Amino acid sequence: MRKKIVAGNWKMNKTFKESKVLVKELTKSIKAIPLDNTRVIIAPPFTNLQKASKKTKDTAIEVSAQNMHQAENGAFTGEISAEMLKSIYVDIVILGHSERRAYFGETDELLAKKVNTALKHGLEIIFCFGEVLEDRKSGNHFKVVEEQIKNALFHLDSESWNKIILAYEPVWAIGTGETASPEQAQEMHAFIRELVAERYLSDVAEEVSILYGGSVKPANAKDIFSKEDVDGGLIGGAALNADDFIALVEAI
Ligand code: PEP
């Protein structure tokens, strides 16, 4: 049975000290929640990763990086490698976030390389994709999402999909307060699962968790998470506050 997942992407927020406080609040609160078949993941910035990884070690919370470089090592000033993440016991990485695509020029081709490097090092990947508003308005959203997934992931063999978590994040809903309706999310998630089923065996499609991301908050989470093909959420803003994030875990 595929897992339900609530993952918090902290982006470029929280100093070292603030991060310590939030991790402490989360690890304390999570103990009271029965996590039947549910994974809880947080993705702090690089400066806070090692500490978060250490402090969550014996808890139900897992730690993810927000990005990594595609090369093994070398002259890439300011970058972080897969091996570096593994060396601090971080086993998950977010790749393809729309902010990386929009502000740092990450293309599907580059992301395919990052995916390969992450898998080579045994990292699990939360792979993000989603259409911009113009694509949605022009009815191109299915095509755009299909291309993003095909270009970055469809070269993989079935076995590698054990390490893939998909995150559909319509760009027009990220940090805008606007969410896709539960029906829009379900429609896209079912389309994605069908796409994976066509390319791979249907058990690969049935097993892959597909998260929704885009202004998920305690007030709207239940309706979105209740949809059949929505297996949880990738959360931005609401992941920065312990009570809100815990409420989202409870909503799943
Ligand atoms: C995100 O950036 O992945 C995201 C979903 O952000 P927010 O929840 O703030 O829209």
Side-chain angles (χ1 to χ4, degrees):
M1 192 163 77
R2 63 180 176 261
K3 293 274 187 190
K4 301 269 185 194
I5 301 172
V6 180
N9 174 13
W10 295 7
K11 309 191 185 186
M12 196 173 74
N13 293 294
K14 303 288 177 193
T15 62
F16 186 72
K17 234 182 178 172
E18 290 164 348
S19 169
K20 260 175 45 177
V21 173
L22 182 51
V23 168
K24 202 170 178 185
E25 290 171 342
L26 291 173
T27 51
K28 190 167 170 236
S29 305
I30 208 80
K31 285 187 196 147
I33 304 175
L35 290 173
D36 202 20
N37 198 42
T38 300
R39 296 174 65 187
V40 180
I41 301 172
I42 55 170
F46 284 133
T47 47
N48 308 342
L49 266 184
Q50 184 180 14
K51 191 75 175 179
S53 157
K54 209 169 161 189
K55 289 289 176 190
T56 54
K57 192 168 170 276
D58 296 314
T59 75
I61 296 176
E62 300 172 74
V63 171
S64 170
Q66 297 175 17
N67 182 34
M68 51 157 259
H69 196 270
Q70 65 276 15
E72 291 296 326
N73 52 45
F76 300 101
T77 301
E79 293 291 332
I80 301 283
S81 73
E83 197 180 16
M84 291 171 189
L85 296 178
K86 291 294 285 187
S87 75
I88 55 165
Y89 306 102
V90 169
D91 297 321
I92 313 170
V93 62
I94 297 173
L95 294 178
H97 193 279
S98 64
E99 287 150 18
R100 298 293 318 172
R101 293 176 189 260
Y103 309 144
F104 301 95
E106 297 202 359
T107 60
D108 292 348
E109 291 65 34
L110 174 76
L111 290 167
K113 289 183 189 157
K114 289 194 176 198
V115 163
N116 291 344
T117 306
L119 291 176
K120 183 177 164 205
H121 288 273
L123 283 156
E124 197 173 6
I125 298 163
I126 300 175
F127 185 77
C128 307
F129 52 87
E131 81 282 1
V132 296
L133 189 58
E134 297 79 69
D135 298 324
R136 169 70 55 175
K137 279 187 175 161
S138 62
N140 249 350
H141 44 299
F142 292 113
K143 186 88 202 119
V144 167
V145 163
E146 182 172 345
E147 286 301 309
Q148 288 172 329
I149 295 175
K150 275 188 176 170
N151 292 341
L153 297 177
F154 273 12
H155 62 285
L156 299 176
D157 58 19
S158 310
E159 216 173 288
S160 302
W161 277 75
N162 294 333
K163 296 275 189 190
I164 304 291
I165 298 163
L166 298 176
Y168 168 58
E169 299 203 300
V171 179
W172 48 272
I174 295 180
T176 58
E178 187 157 346
T179 35
S181 69
E183 291 70 31
Q184 284 173 320
Q186 168 57 28
E187 185 186 33
M188 182 59 88
H189 284 222
F191 170 78
I192 294 161
R193 205 176 300 286
E194 184 55 35
L195 207 62
V196 177
E198 279 169 15
R199 166 67 181 82
Y200 298 93
L201 297 173
S202 61
D203 54 336
V204 174
E206 280 308 310
E207 282 304 310
V208 69
S209 298
I210 309 178
L211 314 186
Y212 168 79
S215 300
V216 179
K217 309 226 166 345
N220 59 23
K222 257 209 159 79
D223 285 345
I224 296 173
F225 292 168
S226 69
K227 292 295 176 189
E228 191 184 336
D229 287 290
V230 177
D231 303 311
L234 181 55
I235 317 297
L240 298 175
N241 174 280
D243 289 344
D244 286 348
F245 190 65
I246 291 294
L248 297 179
V249 176
E250 285 173 321
I252 208 156

Tab-separated table of all heavy atoms in Angstrom, residues 175-214:
chain	number	residue	atom	x	y	z
A	175	GLY	N	2.496	29.597	-2.731
A	175	GLY	CA	2.734	30.828	-1.976
A	175	GLY	C	1.783	31.952	-2.340
A	175	GLY	O	1.993	33.106	-1.972
A	176	THR	N	0.717	31.646	-3.063
A	176	THR	CA	-0.192	32.690	-3.529
A	176	THR	C	-1.474	32.741	-2.709
A	176	THR	O	-2.265	33.676	-2.844
A	176	THR	CB	-0.620	32.414	-4.989
A	176	THR	OG1	-1.241	31.118	-5.033
A	176	THR	CG2	0.568	32.450	-5.928
A	177	GLY	N	-1.682	31.714	-1.886
A	177	GLY	CA	-2.930	31.645	-1.137
A	177	GLY	C	-4.025	30.993	-1.971
A	177	GLY	O	-5.099	30.660	-1.472
A	178	GLU	N	-3.747	30.818	-3.255
A	178	GLU	CA	-4.732	30.176	-4.131
A	178	GLU	C	-4.411	28.682	-4.229
A	178	GLU	O	-3.270	28.320	-4.503
A	178	GLU	CB	-4.628	30.803	-5.523
A	178	GLU	CG	-5.696	30.331	-6.444
A	178	GLU	CD	-5.917	31.339	-7.575
A	178	GLU	OE1	-5.419	32.474	-7.450
A	178	GLU	OE2	-6.554	30.981	-8.544
A	179	THR	N	-5.401	27.832	-3.997
A	179	THR	CA	-5.127	26.389	-4.142
A	179	THR	C	-5.887	25.859	-5.339
A	179	THR	O	-6.935	26.391	-5.707
A	179	THR	CB	-5.668	25.545	-2.958
A	179	THR	OG1	-6.872	26.128	-2.513
A	179	THR	CG2	-4.679	25.408	-1.861
A	180	ALA	N	-5.373	24.770	-5.881
A	180	ALA	CA	-6.184	24.027	-6.837
A	180	ALA	C	-7.364	23.476	-6.032
A	180	ALA	O	-7.215	23.184	-4.849
A	180	ALA	CB	-5.365	22.894	-7.430
A	181	SER	N	-8.507	23.357	-6.656
A	181	SER	CA	-9.624	22.740	-5.935
A	181	SER	C	-9.297	21.267	-5.737
A	181	SER	O	-8.491	20.705	-6.490
A	181	SER	CB	-10.920	22.883	-6.742
A	181	SER	OG	-10.833	22.078	-7.901
A	182	PRO	N	-9.922	20.635	-4.742
A	182	PRO	CA	-9.678	19.197	-4.562
A	182	PRO	C	-9.946	18.424	-5.852
A	182	PRO	O	-9.245	17.483	-6.187
A	182	PRO	CB	-10.675	18.821	-3.461
A	182	PRO	CG	-10.869	20.085	-2.686
A	182	PRO	CD	-10.786	21.193	-3.678
A	183	GLU	N	-10.940	18.869	-6.628
A	183	GLU	CA	-11.282	18.180	-7.882
A	183	GLU	C	-10.181	18.377	-8.926
A	183	GLU	O	-9.826	17.449	-9.658
A	183	GLU	CB	-12.625	18.706	-8.446
A	183	GLU	CG	-13.832	18.322	-7.609
A	183	GLU	CD	-13.901	19.024	-6.254
A	183	GLU	OE1	-13.428	20.187	-6.144
A	183	GLU	OE2	-14.408	18.419	-5.292
A	184	GLN	N	-9.637	19.596	-8.994
A	184	GLN	CA	-8.533	19.844	-9.945
A	184	GLN	C	-7.311	19.004	-9.567
A	184	GLN	O	-6.631	18.458	-10.426
A	184	GLN	CB	-8.148	21.334	-9.936
A	184	GLN	CG	-9.109	22.226	-10.676
A	184	GLN	CD	-8.771	23.708	-10.501
A	184	GLN	OE1	-8.393	24.150	-9.414
A	184	GLN	NE2	-8.900	24.468	-11.563
A	185	ALA	N	-7.047	18.923	-8.261
A	185	ALA	CA	-5.899	18.131	-7.816
A	185	ALA	C	-6.126	16.660	-8.154
A	185	ALA	O	-5.264	16.007	-8.750
A	185	ALA	CB	-5.695	18.313	-6.306
A	186	GLN	N	-7.296	16.144	-7.828
A	186	GLN	CA	-7.600	14.732	-8.099
A	186	GLN	C	-7.486	14.431	-9.599
A	186	GLN	O	-6.922	13.418	-10.003
A	186	GLN	CB	-8.990	14.382	-7.570
A	186	GLN	CG	-9.553	13.036	-8.032
A	186	GLN	CD	-8.669	11.840	-7.683
A	186	GLN	OE1	-7.916	11.875	-6.704
A	186	GLN	NE2	-8.741	10.782	-8.495
A	187	GLU	N	-8.020	15.333	-10.409
A	187	GLU	CA	-7.996	15.126	-11.866
A	187	GLU	C	-6.562	14.987	-12.374
A	187	GLU	O	-6.225	14.070	-13.124
A	187	GLU	CB	-8.685	16.329	-12.538
A	187	GLU	CG	-8.838	16.196	-14.033
A	187	GLU	CD	-9.393	17.475	-14.655
A	187	GLU	OE1	-9.097	18.587	-14.159
A	187	GLU	OE2	-10.122	17.346	-15.655
A	188	MET	N	-5.693	15.877	-11.892
A	188	MET	CA	-4.293	15.826	-12.338
A	188	MET	C	-3.574	14.604	-11.761
A	188	MET	O	-2.801	13.940	-12.451
A	188	MET	CB	-3.566	17.122	-11.959
A	188	MET	CG	-2.135	17.184	-12.421
A	188	MET	SD	-1.939	17.026	-14.229
A	188	MET	CE	-2.098	18.750	-14.741
A	189	HIS	N	-3.824	14.307	-10.508
A	189	HIS	CA	-3.142	13.157	-9.883
A	189	HIS	C	-3.536	11.847	-10.576
A	189	HIS	O	-2.696	10.973	-10.785
A	189	HIS	CB	-3.458	13.092	-8.381
A	189	HIS	CG	-2.702	14.107	-7.582
A	189	HIS	ND1	-2.128	13.825	-6.356
A	189	HIS	CD2	-2.410	15.406	-7.827
A	189	HIS	CE1	-1.519	14.916	-5.896
A	189	HIS	NE2	-1.698	15.886	-6.767
A	190	ALA	N	-4.812	11.723	-10.923
A	190	ALA	CA	-5.263	10.506	-11.621
A	190	ALA	C	-4.592	10.430	-12.990
A	190	ALA	O	-4.172	9.352	-13.434
A	190	ALA	CB	-6.779	10.527	-11.762
A	191	PHE	N	-4.463	11.570	-13.646
A	191	PHE	CA	-3.790	11.622	-14.954
A	191	PHE	C	-2.332	11.172	-14.822
A	191	PHE	O	-1.835	10.376	-15.629
A	191	PHE	CB	-3.866	13.066	-15.485
A	191	PHE	CG	-3.022	13.311	-16.702
A	191	PHE	CD1	-3.431	12.898	-17.962
A	191	PHE	CD2	-1.785	13.963	-16.582
A	191	PHE	CE1	-2.635	13.123	-19.086
A	191	PHE	CE2	-0.989	14.187	-17.695
A	191	PHE	CZ	-1.413	13.769	-18.949
A	192	ILE	N	-1.664	11.649	-13.777
A	192	ILE	CA	-0.246	11.309	-13.559
A	192	ILE	C	-0.107	9.807	-13.281
A	192	ILE	O	0.770	9.141	-13.836
A	192	ILE	CB	0.314	12.131	-12.367
A	192	ILE	CG1	0.351	13.611	-12.714
A	192	ILE	CG2	1.711	11.633	-11.978
A	192	ILE	CD1	0.450	14.535	-11.502
A	193	ARG	N	-0.989	9.288	-12.451
A	193	ARG	CA	-0.902	7.860	-12.127
A	193	ARG	C	-1.130	7.005	-13.380
A	193	ARG	O	-0.456	6.002	-13.596
A	193	ARG	CB	-1.914	7.501	-11.020
A	193	ARG	CG	-1.487	6.262	-10.241
A	193	ARG	CD	-2.402	5.934	-9.076
A	193	ARG	NE	-2.524	6.935	-8.050
A	193	ARG	CZ	-1.576	7.208	-7.138
A	193	ARG	NH1	-0.450	6.536	-7.132
A	193	ARG	NH2	-1.762	8.153	-6.239
A	194	GLU	N	-2.030	7.450	-14.225
A	194	GLU	CA	-2.309	6.733	-15.470
A	194	GLU	C	-1.074	6.780	-16.398
A	194	GLU	O	-0.717	5.793	-17.037
A	194	GLU	CB	-3.536	7.377	-16.137
A	194	GLU	CG	-4.021	6.699	-17.401
A	194	GLU	CD	-4.319	5.217	-17.222
A	194	GLU	OE1	-4.794	4.826	-16.140
A	194	GLU	OE2	-4.042	4.442	-18.171
A	195	LEU	N	-0.437	7.930	-16.412
A	195	LEU	CA	0.776	8.123	-17.223
A	195	LEU	C	1.869	7.132	-16.794
A	195	LEU	O	2.519	6.493	-17.622
A	195	LEU	CB	1.263	9.547	-16.963
A	195	LEU	CG	2.071	10.282	-18.003
A	195	LEU	CD1	1.275	10.461	-19.273
A	195	LEU	CD2	2.467	11.662	-17.444
A	196	VAL	N	2.034	7.021	-15.486
A	196	VAL	CA	3.050	6.100	-14.945
A	196	VAL	C	2.643	4.653	-15.249
A	196	VAL	O	3.479	3.831	-15.618
A	196	VAL	CB	3.237	6.323	-13.420
A	196	VAL	CG1	4.233	5.323	-12.839
A	196	VAL	CG2	3.712	7.753	-13.142
A	197	ALA	N	1.355	4.378	-15.143
A	197	ALA	CA	0.868	3.013	-15.422
A	197	ALA	C	1.098	2.632	-16.880
A	197	ALA	O	1.402	1.482	-17.190
A	197	ALA	CB	-0.609	2.910	-15.072
A	198	GLU	N	0.955	3.594	-17.782
A	198	GLU	CA	1.165	3.317	-19.213
A	198	GLU	C	2.620	3.031	-19.525
A	198	GLU	O	2.946	2.220	-20.372
A	198	GLU	CB	0.702	4.515	-20.056
A	198	GLU	CG	-0.797	4.535	-20.278
A	198	GLU	CD	-1.261	5.856	-20.874
A	198	GLU	OE1	-0.418	6.632	-21.371
A	198	GLU	OE2	-2.481	6.113	-20.799
A	199	ARG	N	3.522	3.722	-18.826
A	199	ARG	CA	4.954	3.572	-19.097
A	199	ARG	C	5.556	2.369	-18.357
A	199	ARG	O	6.447	1.700	-18.860
A	199	ARG	CB	5.680	4.865	-18.697
A	199	ARG	CG	7.201	4.788	-18.600
A	199	ARG	CD	7.866	4.557	-19.954
A	199	ARG	NE	9.308	4.473	-19.823
A	199	ARG	CZ	9.971	3.375	-19.449
A	199	ARG	NH1	9.322	2.250	-19.178
A	199	ARG	NH2	11.299	3.398	-19.364
A	200	TYR	N	5.034	2.122	-17.147
A	200	TYR	CA	5.561	1.043	-16.301
A	200	TYR	C	4.434	0.063	-16.004
A	200	TYR	O	3.333	0.212	-16.503
A	200	TYR	CB	6.135	1.610	-15.001
A	200	TYR	CG	7.308	2.542	-15.232
A	200	TYR	CD1	7.112	3.913	-15.349
A	200	TYR	CD2	8.600	2.053	-15.376
A	200	TYR	CE1	8.184	4.770	-15.581
A	200	TYR	CE2	9.670	2.906	-15.611
A	200	TYR	CZ	9.453	4.265	-15.710
A	200	TYR	OH	10.504	5.109	-15.957
A	201	LEU	N	4.689	-0.888	-15.163
A	201	LEU	CA	3.620	-1.793	-14.755
A	201	LEU	C	2.673	-1.046	-13.822
A	201	LEU	O	3.069	-0.095	-13.148
A	201	LEU	CB	4.214	-3.002	-14.021
A	201	LEU	CG	5.144	-3.871	-14.874
A	201	LEU	CD1	5.810	-4.938	-14.041
A	201	LEU	CD2	4.346	-4.498	-16.021
A	202	SER	N	1.438	-1.512	-13.760
A	202	SER	CA	0.474	-0.753	-12.966
A	202	SER	C	0.817	-0.773	-11.477
A	202	SER	O	0.433	0.129	-10.737
A	202	SER	CB	-0.942	-1.247	-13.199
A	202	SER	OG	-1.020	-2.587	-12.818
A	203	ASP	N	1.590	-1.795	-11.019
A	203	ASP	CA	1.924	-1.757	-9.587
A	203	ASP	C	2.900	-0.624	-9.267
A	203	ASP	O	2.903	-0.104	-8.160
A	203	ASP	CB	2.403	-3.110	-9.043
A	203	ASP	CG	3.545	-3.681	-9.816
A	203	ASP	OD1	3.692	-3.320	-10.998
A	203	ASP	OD2	4.306	-4.477	-9.246
A	204	VAL	N	3.714	-0.209	-10.228
A	204	VAL	CA	4.580	0.967	-10.008
A	204	VAL	C	3.689	2.191	-9.806
A	204	VAL	O	3.881	2.979	-8.877
A	204	VAL	CB	5.545	1.198	-11.210
A	204	VAL	CG1	6.334	2.493	-11.044
A	204	VAL	CG2	6.486	0.020	-11.378
A	205	ALA	N	2.683	2.317	-10.642
A	205	ALA	CA	1.769	3.462	-10.539
A	205	ALA	C	0.964	3.424	-9.246
A	205	ALA	O	0.725	4.468	-8.623
A	205	ALA	CB	0.825	3.471	-11.737
A	206	GLU	N	0.573	2.230	-8.849
A	206	GLU	CA	-0.224	2.110	-7.624
A	206	GLU	C	0.600	2.403	-6.370
A	206	GLU	O	0.083	2.859	-5.367
A	206	GLU	CB	-0.827	0.697	-7.515
A	206	GLU	CG	-2.063	0.504	-8.353
A	206	GLU	CD	-3.114	1.579	-8.108
A	206	GLU	OE1	-3.449	1.850	-6.948
A	206	GLU	OE2	-3.582	2.188	-9.092
A	207	GLU	N	1.893	2.124	-6.443
A	207	GLU	CA	2.756	2.279	-5.269
A	207	GLU	C	3.328	3.685	-5.095
A	207	GLU	O	3.743	4.068	-4.012
A	207	GLU	CB	3.918	1.277	-5.331
A	207	GLU	CG	3.531	-0.139	-4.937
A	207	GLU	CD	2.909	-0.221	-3.548
A	207	GLU	OE1	3.483	0.313	-2.600
A	207	GLU	OE2	1.817	-0.803	-3.437
A	208	VAL	N	3.395	4.448	-6.197
A	208	VAL	CA	4.062	5.761	-6.087
A	208	VAL	C	3.147	6.762	-5.363
A	208	VAL	O	1.958	6.886	-5.676
A	208	VAL	CB	4.523	6.285	-7.475
A	208	VAL	CG1	3.355	6.682	-8.376
A	208	VAL	CG2	5.478	7.464	-7.308
A	209	SER	N	3.715	7.450	-4.380
A	209	SER	CA	2.949	8.481	-3.670
A	209	SER	C	2.981	9.767	-4.493
A	209	SER	O	4.045	10.196	-4.938
A	209	SER	CB	3.549	8.746	-2.288
A	209	SER	OG	3.503	7.579	-1.498
A	210	ILE	N	1.811	10.352	-4.677
A	210	ILE	CA	1.733	11.623	-5.419
A	210	ILE	C	1.208	12.692	-4.457
A	210	ILE	O	0.058	12.628	-4.002
A	210	ILE	CB	0.812	11.516	-6.657
A	210	ILE	CG1	1.194	10.294	-7.519
A	210	ILE	CG2	0.895	12.811	-7.479
A	210	ILE	CD1	0.288	10.085	-8.742
A	211	LEU	N	2.071	13.656	-4.163
A	211	LEU	CA	1.714	14.721	-3.225
A	211	LEU	C	1.188	15.923	-3.993
A	211	LEU	O	1.593	16.165	-5.130
A	211	LEU	CB	2.943	15.147	-2.406
A	211	LEU	CG	3.816	14.033	-1.822
A	211	LEU	CD1	4.901	14.630	-0.934
A	211	LEU	CD2	2.965	13.045	-1.040
A	212	TYR	N	0.326	16.677	-3.328
A	212	TYR	CA	-0.122	17.953	-3.894
A	212	TYR	C	0.572	19.084	-3.137
A	212	TYR	O	0.709	19.010	-1.905
A	212	TYR	CB	-1.654	18.118	-3.767
A	212	TYR	CG	-2.052	19.531	-4.088
A	212	TYR	CD1	-2.141	19.954	-5.407
A	212	TYR	CD2	-2.230	20.473	-3.071
A	212	TYR	CE1	-2.422	21.275	-5.720
A	212	TYR	CE2	-2.512	21.798	-3.374
A	212	TYR	CZ	-2.601	22.188	-4.698
A	212	TYR	OH	-2.852	23.498	-4.996
A	213	GLY	N	0.996	20.105	-3.844
A	213	GLY	CA	1.586	21.272	-3.185
A	213	GLY	C	1.053	22.561	-3.774
A	213	GLY	O	0.900	22.692	-4.993
A	214	GLY	N	0.773	23.513	-2.898
A	214	GLY	CA	0.288	24.819	-3.348
A	214	GLY	C	-0.715	25.355	-2.355
A	214	GLY	O	-1.902	25.018	-2.415
